[in-house]
Amino acid sequence: MIAENLARLKDRIAKKCEIVGRNPGEIRFIAVSKYFGTDAILEAKKLGVNDFGENRAQELMLKFEKIGDKVIWHFIGTLQKNKVKYAVRTAEYIHSVDSVELLEEINKRASSLNKVQKILLEVKTSFEESKSGLTNEEEIFKIAEQAKNYLNVNLIGLMTIAPLTDDEKLIRKSFRDLRLLKEKMNNAGINITELSMGMTSDFEIAIEEGSTMLRIGSAIFGERDYSKDWRQI
Ligand SMILES: *Cc1c(COP(=O)(O)O)cnc(C)c1O
């Protein structure tokens, strides 16, 4: 099933890229494997997928212990300060930095591992209460400037989750706002290149709006069983 899903997905990505005149090679494809076991990850890897996304630090640790750095791990979930050490130990990219405190802790942990941690700032581009992420532009600029002072973090871009809605206009606006913010930051001398946006239900709009990192789960692995305990994965 994973093979067919992947083939179909790659095809849709390629078609959309062709329509908007983008090179699929410039878009990093992250398979979001949360709630799925290492068998599924290894199967996807065999089919050429190298990037995997997880949203819980302990689940990522568990999988990392089994698979190690044969694949590239992305941490995409809400990160608590006391879990930073797990994310830094395992993930090449942390997409969900949303405070100076987190930035500082990541720098500290990365420093003790002699690592430069690639990070993105999570921006809330929707008005949903449940979503996390930064909303204040001044604060976003402040964190980005602060990141320049830390030797063990490398701020490479911005991440967002679009609102959960059927209204395509709202989804597009959310992605466009992220792109415009990136351009504004670039103009202010903040050298970021990545836009992590687009999931199963909205990745085609994200490609149109300039996404460079797609985070796609269910279109590859199928529906998630949320009743499953991650320790059993
Ligand atoms: C689960 C998750 C995804 C993938 O969602 P799908 O709808 O399964 O593609 C992407 N980004 C984040 C932050 C997630 O938690």
Side-chain angles (χ1 to χ4, degrees):
M1 188 187 72
I2 294 179
E4 288 156 35
N5 287 349
L6 261 178
R8 210 175 308 133
L9 193 56
K10 293 272 168 159
D11 195 48
R12 280 173 68 188
I13 293 171
K15 283 212 175 84
K16 182 49 79 179
C17 282
E18 200 184 318
I19 291 169
V20 298
R22 296 191 62 192
N23 172 4
E26 73 188 26
I27 303 176
R28 193 182 277 263
F29 174 78
I30 302 161
V32 177
S33 44
K34 65 189 187 200
Y35 290 89
F36 288 94
T38 48
D39 290 356
I41 294 173
L42 292 173
E43 190 180 337
K45 177 170 168 49
K46 248 189 233 154
L47 296 161
V49 180
N50 288 313
D51 291 80
F52 292 88
E54 291 287 336
N55 73 334
R56 287 177 295 189
Q58 278 146 308
E59 187 175 334
L60 174 52
M61 273 300 276
L62 199 76
K63 291 173 181 175
F64 185 84
E65 276 161 19
K66 293 183 186 163
I67 296 178
D69 56 10
K70 288 201 290 270
V71 303
I72 296 168
W73 297 102
H74 297 251
F75 188 80
I76 61 173
T78 304
L79 190 54
Q80 287 157 331
K81 204 173 153 192
N82 63 344
K83 306 274 170 61
V84 165
K85 54 181 180 289
Y86 303 128
V88 170
R89 206 180 303 159
T90 53
E92 184 153 335
Y93 298 82
I94 297 176
H95 291 234
S96 42
V97 178
D98 62 0
S99 70
V100 175
E101 291 73 34
L102 210 51
L103 182 76
E104 196 179 344
E105 181 68 13
I106 291 170
N107 185 63
K108 194 176 97 186
R109 294 289 175 180
S111 164
S112 72
L113 293 178
N114 236 332
K115 168 184 189 183
V116 177
Q117 179 67 54
K118 293 184 197 121
I119 59 161
L120 296 88
L121 299 182
E122 180 172 358
V123 179
K124 185 170 149 176
T125 52
S126 68
F127 294 97
E128 290 169 13
E129 282 300 318
S130 59
K131 299 258 158 68
S132 49
L134 294 151
T135 50
N136 183 309
E137 210 170 281
E138 212 172 300
E139 194 184 355
I140 294 167
F141 273 79
K142 206 179 87 189
I143 298 176
E145 288 298 337
Q146 184 68 264
K148 288 183 183 173
N149 301 325
Y150 288 135
L151 294 177
N152 295 87
V153 293
N154 180 15
L155 175 63
I156 61 162
L158 304 175
M159 181 273 238
T160 201
I161 302 171
L164 189 66
T165 169
D166 290 333
D167 189 342
E168 201 186 299
K169 276 206 250 31
L170 288 178
I171 297 170
R172 187 178 300 282
K173 181 177 185 318
S174 143
F175 292 151
R176 187 167 293 170
D177 285 350
L178 197 73
R179 174 164 53 81
L180 293 176
L181 177 60
K182 173 185 162 281
E183 285 167 10
K184 195 167 174 181
M185 292 170 78
N186 289 154
N187 290 337
I190 298 162
N191 235 336
I192 52 174
T193 54
E194 305 304 316
L195 290 171
S196 167
M197 56 191 201
M199 316 185 357
T200 292
S201 59
D202 55 24
F203 70 85
E204 280 153 322
I205 306 172
I207 292 172
E208 289 171 358
E209 294 301 328
S211 171
T212 65
M213 294 176 141
L214 300 174
R215 311 179 309 266
I216 301 183
S218 34
I220 303 168
F221 298 111
E223 290 303 315
R224 284 179 286 272
D225 178 0
Y226 289 107
S227 67
K228 213 153 72 179
D229 183 336
W230 61 266
R231 292 169 208 86
Q232 308 302 317
I233 286 167

